[in-house]
Amino acid sequence: MTGSLDNKTAVVTGSSSGIGFAIAQHLATEGANVVVNSRSQDRAEDAADEIDGGDTVLPIEADVTDRSSLQSLADRTVEEFGSLDIWVNNAGINIRGPAEELSLDDWQTVIDVNLTGTFSGAQVAGNRMIDQGTGGNIINISSMMGEQGQTGRTPYNTSKGGVNNLTRCLAVEWAEHDIQVNAVAPGYIETEMVDDAQDQIGFDKQDVVDRTPLGRFGSVDEVANCVTFLAEGDHFMTGEILHPDGGWLAFGWGSKD
């Protein structure tokens, strides 16, 4: 622990498991007060109990598709810790299927969580940071899929492409308030979401390894390291999309073999 985030307070949405949990753990390790969030208070509490941080980790139930719920999340964070310095929009879902068969409800559900939820979270955090007058860091969790087409993932890829440009727009607009807005767009990471995709779509993990220049899946800790770097803020970066993808986007096509 270096204490690079001492006296800072961070909210991580959707942080009861997976990438979000790893992010919350890393930020706490660096000394931040961390709010762990889930749609379920029980899940948030269970996750908070597993994070090293003691009294500096607070579980709060909130739904990113409910603006008033997000506002309450921000308000309670400030009441508990006195400020809001870092906000990580991590909550996300995926509904897969052929584009011609997707219902509008399925489309809207993904957009509501992944894109509108990210905007709402950023707006709530941005307003609080503007009022504080001390700047801050907003980090959106996107995906490398936001920069490419793929069968069976039209809502997801579209939502993440929107997150990328939302990140750029907010970065430009809020720069005058010293609020840095960046995104992390992972490639294939070992998570339950990837396991679910393998079960539903039936892709071969070895095909992903063969297509990835670094020759493996990434880890949630590697993604969390990128978020921690951005949260520290000492990098003169805003409006950037970091890609911990093992070289996937850099590699144009085919198998590395």
Side-chain angles (χ1 to χ4, degrees):
M1 174 174 160
T2 64
S4 62
L5 296 176
D6 284 352
N7 302 315
K8 301 291 186 181
T9 296
V11 170
V12 185
T13 67
S15 48
S16 63
S17 63
I19 290 174
F21 178 82
I23 292 168
Q25 177 64 80
H26 278 240
L27 297 180
T29 298
E30 291 302 324
N33 306 314
V34 176
V35 173
V36 175
N37 161 251
S38 171
R39 287 178 295 176
S40 160
Q41 183 65 23
D42 288 343
R43 290 187 63 189
E45 290 175 0
D46 289 345
D49 288 343
E50 295 180 30
I51 292 176
D52 298 330
D55 294 337
T56 65
V57 180
L58 178 67
I60 300 179
E61 174 185 357
D63 185 341
V64 300
T65 65
D66 182 343
R67 173 56 185 266
S68 63
S69 181
L70 285 172
Q71 187 63 60
S72 177
L73 173 60
D75 292 343
R76 286 191 59 196
T77 298
V78 174
E79 288 170 8
E80 180 73 19
F81 296 117
S83 68
L84 176 57
D85 309 292
I86 301 157
W87 184 285
V88 183
N89 284 304
N90 171 75
I93 63 169
N94 192 2
I95 297 177
R96 303 171 183 85
E100 68 273 17
E101 297 176 7
L102 281 169
S103 70
L104 284 179
D105 284 345
D106 285 344
W107 165 271
Q108 196 62 55
T109 297
V110 175
I111 297 299
D112 285 348
V113 174
N114 294 1
L115 182 53
T116 307
T118 295
F119 171 72
S120 293
Q123 189 180 53
V124 165
N127 279 322
R128 174 63 67 174
M129 292 172 182
I130 290 169
D131 289 344
Q132 288 176 177
T134 54
N137 279 277
I138 297 172
I139 300 147
N140 300 322
I141 304 304
S142 183
S143 169
M144 71 174 185
M145 300 305 176
E147 300 190 31
Q148 56 186 186
Q150 193 176 42
T151 60
R153 295 192 181 190
T154 296
Y156 182 82
N157 290 29
T158 302
S159 70
K160 293 302 186 178
V163 167
N164 291 346
N165 217 35
L166 171 65
T167 298
R168 298 181 184 102
C169 290
L170 297 182
V172 171
E173 190 159 352
W174 291 343
E176 65 177 295
H177 302 291
D178 197 26
I179 298 172
Q180 294 167 277
V181 186
N182 293 288
V184 175
Y188 281 96
I189 308 298
E190 288 284 4
T191 64
E192 289 183 11
M193 183 177 285
V194 168
D195 290 339
D196 289 344
Q198 184 180 23
D199 292 340
Q200 292 177 20
I201 300 174
F203 74 85
D204 187 337
K205 284 190 173 182
Q206 189 60 47
D207 290 341
V208 173
V209 169
D210 290 343
R211 171 63 176 76
T212 304
L214 286 184
R216 61 178 176 84
F217 279 66
S219 72
V220 294
D221 288 322
E222 288 171 316
V223 178
N225 284 335
C226 293
V227 173
T228 302
F229 164 71
L230 291 173
E232 290 169 346
D234 190 22
H235 43 60
F236 197 55
M237 289 171 55
T238 194
E240 292 295 327
I241 318 295
L242 297 188
H243 293 96
D245 65 358
W248 182 286
L249 290 178
F251 184 40
W253 178 84
S255 168
K256 64 185 177 64
D257 295 330

